[in-house]
Amino acid sequence: GAVVSQHPSWVICKSGTSVKIECRSLDFQATTMFWYRQFPKQSLMLMATSNEGSKATYEQGVEKDKFLINHASLTLSTLTVTSAHPEDSSFYICSARVGGLGYEQYFGPGTRLTVT
Amino acid sequence: QKEVEQDPGPLSVPEGAIVSLNCTYSNSAFQYFMWYRQYSRKGPELLMYTYSSGNKEDGRFTAQVDKSSKYISLFIRDSQPSDSATYLCAMSEYTGTASKLTFGTGTRLQVTL
């Protein structure tokens, strides 16, 4: 149980275009999902907390107009990187919490974004 | 000083060895503790989670929490080459929607034949 999927697993896009990444909880409902970014050989950096039916909460220094997050249902959250630039190239990982009261998070397999 | 300190390694052990991975933390408000395993280019996989001091065992894995010393450990018995990965400790102050995880930097483990 507690499986989280991401799509796509790998994407290459041209500078200036937008890319959408989907995060789904497959066997549970997730009122809260999280989006992280990870650079090579570094730990995870929380970008934003996504709550179903409400606006996402962004961490300090994360541009909310650049990284658009939508959590339209209890099983789906999306991250759209708008007007992507090469410095946005990274590994993006989502996670979800089972229900609303647990503390442990289950992670997706990640999406590798390369902006050329 | 970081809130969570973790030795980045790499830690190299022979197959069958007992592995000890550790994290220390400075925020006494942390109540909930997790260990994740991350293979290269993959998302972290939850191994263990606990909110109480003491030991919690699951198969070859034992998580140990000492809140008085602000120190947590993960022990891996009979280590296998497939255990070679980066191990991340994570902790949070709360449960529920307010809860965010604070991660250690991760320890890279290599189990050799």
Side-chain angles (χ1 to χ4, degrees), chain A residues 24-101:
Chain A
R24 293 181 184 273
S25 56
L26 297 185
D27 53 359
F28 66 99
Q29 293 183 331
T31 53
T32 305
M33 290 183 171
F34 303 85
W35 287 95
Y36 294 84
R37 188 173 179 176
Q38 187 175 35
F39 292 104
K41 297 188 178 181
Q42 293 189 25
S43 193
L44 290 83
M45 183 190 80
L46 179 64
M47 298 175 67
T49 301
S50 167
N51 292 301
E52 186 266 338
S54 63
K55 290 185 178 180
T57 302
Y58 291 82
E59 295 299 299
Q60 193 173 10
V62 177
E63 298 176 62
K64 62 180 65 177
D65 294 330
K66 181 167 188 61
F67 298 100
L68 301 178
I69 292 172
N70 183 275
H71 193 157
S73 78
L74 288 172
T75 59
L76 173 64
S77 176
T78 61
L79 168 68
T80 301
V81 182
T82 63
S83 188
H85 291 284
E87 56 265 31
D88 298 324
S89 299
S90 190
F91 193 50
Y92 292 88
I93 314 174
C94 71
S95 72
R97 184 185 293 123
V98 177
L101 300 179

Side-chain angles (χ1 to χ4, degrees), chain B residues 20-38:
Chain B
S20 173
L21 303 165
N22 311 294
C23 287
T24 59
Y25 61 95
S26 57
N27 185 353
S28 58
F30 285 138
Q31 299 289 332
Y32 306 96
F33 306 92
M34 285 135 278
W35 284 96
Y36 289 89
R37 176 175 64 194
Q38 186 176 25

Side-chain angles (χ1 to χ4, degrees), chain A residues 31-32 34 36 38 41-44 46 49 51 59 91 93 97 100-110 112, chain B residues 32-34 36 38 41-44 46 49-51 88 92 94-101 103-106 108:
Chain A
T31 53
T32 305
F34 303 85
Y36 294 84
Q38 187 175 35
K41 297 188 178 181
Q42 293 189 25
S43 193
L44 290 83
L46 179 64
T49 301
N51 292 301
E59 295 299 299
F91 193 50
I93 314 174
R97 184 185 293 123
L101 300 179
Y103 57 87
E104 69 275 19
Q105 293 178 21
Y106 296 88
F107 285 82
R112 184 159 303 280
Chain B
Y32 306 96
F33 306 92
M34 285 135 278
Y36 289 89
Q38 186 176 25
R41 298 175 182 260
K42 299 290 184 184
L46 180 64
Y49 61 96
T50 183
Y51 60 87
L88 298 152
S92 68
Y94 312 103
T95 62
T97 55
S99 175
K100 294 188 290 188
L101 295 182
F103 284 90
T105 52
R108 194 152 52 95

Side-chain angles (χ1 to χ4, degrees), chain B residues 33-35 46-50 56-58 61-63 74:
Chain B
F33 306 92
M34 285 135 278
W35 284 96
L46 180 64
L47 289 176
M48 303 282 288
Y49 61 96
T50 183
K56 180 178 181 180
E57 190 174 316
D58 185 0
F61 300 96
T62 299
L74 178 71

